[in-house]
Amino acid sequence: QVQLVESGGGSVQAGGSLRLSCAVSEFTSTTICIGWFRQAPGKGREGVAIIDHDDRPHYADSVKDRFVIAKDSTVTLQMNDLNPEGTATYYCAATGYCYKRWFENYRHWGQGTQVTVS
């Protein structure tokens, strides 16, 4: 059904920016929430930002005002003013329901893209 493929990861210095993209199959025919998550070495996976059924963004407090999620032909995550805490593998994911529980119940996952901030 839904397939997700991330791209855009890389290495940047602190204060720099990266733009991640998530290509989503069946995007136009499926009503879903799509989110970005990240997992640093030795830590659990955490939600970063999602865009809901009404195309409204929701951000984790740790990235609010620095990251921007948007949806067009792909779902992008513009990451600005990166810091070393941003070093992680970033995943995009999809769910059919996310209202008020923005980072829960995601069942479709991409393979991840690595971001390193030095």
Side-chain angles (χ1 to χ4, degrees):
Q1 299 182 56
V2 177
Q3 293 181 305
L4 307 102
V5 180
E6 305 95 334
S7 63
S11 298
V12 298
Q13 296 188 52
S17 299
L18 279 176
R19 181 176 178 269
L20 307 181
S21 295
C22 177
V24 184
S25 67
E26 303 180 6
F27 191 87
T28 60
S29 62
T30 305
T31 301
I32 54 174
C33 306
I34 302 174
W36 284 96
F37 297 74
R38 65 186 180 188
Q39 186 168 21
K43 299 181 66 177
R45 188 157 55 193
E46 63 174 341
V48 177
I50 74 102
I51 189 159
D52 68 18
H53 302 90
D54 296 319
D55 293 336
R56 292 178 295 182
H58 305 270
Y59 300 95
D61 290 341
S62 61
V63 306
K64 195 174 182 64
D65 300 323
R66 295 189 297 117
F67 290 12
V68 179
I69 188 170
K71 183 173 69 176
D72 195 350
S73 58
T74 63
V75 177
T76 62
L77 183 69
Q78 178 66 44
M79 305 187 294
N80 301 313
D81 194 23
L82 284 161
N83 58 53
E85 293 183 349
T87 296
T89 301
Y90 285 71
Y91 302 87
C92 60
T95 184
Y97 178 81
C98 66
Y99 182 66
K100 291 292 187 180
R101 302 185 185 275
W102 310 120
F103 301 109
E104 300 180 12
N105 301 313
Y106 287 81
R107 292 178 168 83
H108 301 88
W109 295 85
Q111 297 177 350
T113 186
Q114 180 66 41
V115 172
T116 301
V117 185
S118 60

